[in-house]
């Protein structure tokens, strides 16, 4: 019975529209996500540090006065921080992480004007993201948010605020000046 629930959970994608294309992001298998976690955390420490600084105390209210979590931040607000975080990694590590996040049979794309959907492959990524690499980083952010978002919610609630917790993870040389 548990196996059926786990399969159903893994078969429910999150839909994101980026650059005229619709991406369906499926959760990574648990052990695959765990395997990638060290690389993801090394990427996210500077990303979260920058975003947490933009959010002030680690959360901000939306127009309705509701608290907005770190991973709920609008991607357009986070885009400069996403680019900065990826630039903190070596080129080889960035490429390996992007391949593992996007080409692990967990992202399907429906291109604008096409009725077909395809898994992301290297050729499909070249077709979609050539001359538009920023959208590949944005998609990677959505994949990370889908698979690791709860980590940051729990991190913030157990540590007082996400900003405080992340500043403890970020090395002093990478910490933003405040």
């Amino acid at each position: 019975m548990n196996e059926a629930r786990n399969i159903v959970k893994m078969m429910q994608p999150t839909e994101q529209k980026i650059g005229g294309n619709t991406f369906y992001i499926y959760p990574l298998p648990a052990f695959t996500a765990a395997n990638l976690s060290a690389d993801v955390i090394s990427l996210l420490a500077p990303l979260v540090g920058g975003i947490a600084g933009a959010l002030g105390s680690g959360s901000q209210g939306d127009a309705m006065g509701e608290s907005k979590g770190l991973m709920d931040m609008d991607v357009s607000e986070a885009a400069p921080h996403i680019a900065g975080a990826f630039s903190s990694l070596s080129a080889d590590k960035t490429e390996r992480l992007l391949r593992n996040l996007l080409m692990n049979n967990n992202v399907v794309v429906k291109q604008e004007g096409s009725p077909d959907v395809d898994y992301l492959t290297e050729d499909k990524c070249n077709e979609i993201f050539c001359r538009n690499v920023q959208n590949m980083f944005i998609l990677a952010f959505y994949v990370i948010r889908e698979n690791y978002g709860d980590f940051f919610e729990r991190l913030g609630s157990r540590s007082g605020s996400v900003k405080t917790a992340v500043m403890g993870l970020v090395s002093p040389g990478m910490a933003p000046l405040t």
Side-chain angles (χ1 to χ4, degrees):
M1 188 66 144
N2 284 338
E3 187 175 324
R5 262 187 291 170
N6 293 339
I7 291 171
V8 169
K9 188 186 286 188
M10 288 185 62
M11 293 176 59
Q12 297 173 341
T14 300
E15 181 179 318
Q16 295 295 334
K17 293 185 187 279
I18 304 169
N21 298 309
T22 303
F23 295 91
Y24 300 94
I25 302 167
Y26 292 87
L28 291 166
F31 286 104
T32 301
N35 185 296
L36 295 174
S37 64
D39 286 341
V40 169
I41 289 170
S42 68
L43 167 72
L44 289 181
L47 171 65
V48 173
I51 291 174
L55 290 175
S57 66
S59 66
Q60 80 184 31
D62 64 11
M64 303 295 286
E66 305 240 344
S67 180
K68 185 176 179 183
L70 178 70
M71 296 308 272
D72 296 326
M73 185 177 205
D74 184 79
V75 75
S76 63
E77 296 174 54
H81 304 291
I82 295 168
F86 274 101
S87 71
S88 71
L89 299 176
S90 72
D92 290 339
K93 195 171 193 176
T94 298
E95 180 182 348
R96 185 177 70 245
L97 182 57
L98 286 170
R99 286 177 180 277
N100 284 325
L101 289 171
L102 304 180
M103 296 189 316
N104 218 329
N105 292 327
N106 62 309
V107 180
V108 178
V109 63
K110 182 175 187 254
Q111 291 180 269
E112 189 173 38
S114 173
D116 299 327
V117 294
D118 298 301
Y119 281 102
L120 281 185
T121 61
E122 185 170 351
D123 287 340
K124 190 55 74 174
C125 285
N126 287 333
E127 178 184 334
I128 294 170
F129 300 119
C130 183
R131 295 188 175 180
N132 202 352
V133 176
Q134 177 178 325
N135 284 349
M136 183 168 53
F137 291 125
I138 291 170
L139 177 59
F141 174 78
Y142 284 128
V143 171
I144 290 169
R145 187 169 75 177
E146 172 69 22
N147 288 282
Y148 300 94
D150 65 329
F151 173 78
F152 293 98
E153 290 169 13
R154 290 189 180 112
L155 177 70
S157 66
R158 289 186 182 156
S159 304
S161 80
V162 174
K163 181 178 180 183
T164 303
V166 170
M167 291 305 137
L169 295 174
V170 179
S171 68
M174 295 172 65
L177 299 174
T178 53

